[in-house]
Amino acid sequence: MRRVWQLYVAHVLLFVFYAAAIGYVAQRYGHSHLLDEFNVAGLIEQPVATLTQGLMLKFKPLNLDVLPLYIVLMAGFPPLLIVMMRWPNAALAASISVYLSARLFGWNFSAYPSGDWYFNPFTWQLLFTLGAWAALGGRARMQVLARSRAVLAASIAFVVFAAVVTLADRFETTAFLPTGMLEWFVPNDKTNLAPYRVLHFLAVAVIVVRLVPSDWSGLRSAALQPLIVCGQRSLEVFCVGIFLSFVGHFILEMYSDGLAA
């Protein structure tokens, strides 16, 4: 549970400094709309209630949805690990059941002041469980399937198809797609981790396993060391990235007209 505590402390500190930075910039430069845009207006209108809900992970400014999800998943990981060490397939089956039930019955955590969590813990736990299952022997049990040429071809086809649909929707060039197809994928259900997102994750995993050997020397090359360090320091990278995203947004808003001219 030490990691859970570290994540919670990081979230609280990030929450406070992030909200303070947004409030300062909004007041200093007269951009009051940033308070609503980054969902921190509640701290001005009802500071005590909003801060209390923030400490309970129910109130989250814009872009601070990931850490609360991670905290909840990590807090529930010890009992999951105990079960998975003895009955890995049963643990995975239970995770899939929770995922399907959450999508069917609308399970989610409530958010403050209204709505639900943007990343539904009841559905996103499936990816977390899949990772644990693979690390505890599931990967070896799936080697035969992963080495199948048919599975590899299907995985590549699905990833390419997903890229085509995503880009077509983004650039509003969907006329060439069959009628009704786009309705299956747009709007993209990120909150409840749509099944095609899970399939995409599995497809990418199959491609990587097949095309990147585990003993590939490139994984130990100096060029990839920065990426490896970023993965090892993911919490710090995330916190810095949150601040940089706000700074970048503010700079673009301040100087976009001048750049366009």
Side-chain angles (χ1 to χ4, degrees), residues 40-76:
V40 296
L43 285 170
I44 307 299
E45 300 165 357
Q46 296 179 309
V48 176
T50 303
L51 183 59
T52 301
Q53 296 296 327
L55 295 175
M56 296 171 61
L57 306 181
K58 298 183 70 174
F59 172 78
K60 296 175 284 294
L62 183 68
N63 296 329
L64 290 193
D65 304 279
V66 175
L67 274 182
L69 171 68
Y70 196 25
I71 291 169
V72 170
L73 295 183
M74 285 296 294

Side-chain angles (χ1 to χ4, degrees), residues 143-190:
Q143 279 296 326
V144 175
L145 185 62
R147 290 174 181 170
S148 167
R149 291 185 178 181
V151 172
L152 177 62
S155 298
I156 294 175
F158 185 78
V159 170
V160 172
F161 168 75
V164 170
V165 172
T166 301
L167 292 174
D169 178 63
R170 185 174 185 83
F171 294 103
E172 299 181 354
T173 56
T174 59
F176 68 94
L177 294 174
T179 304
M181 175 179 290
L182 203 61
E183 297 177 0
W184 287 86
F185 304 99
V186 179
N188 203 336
D189 186 5
K190 185 182 294 185

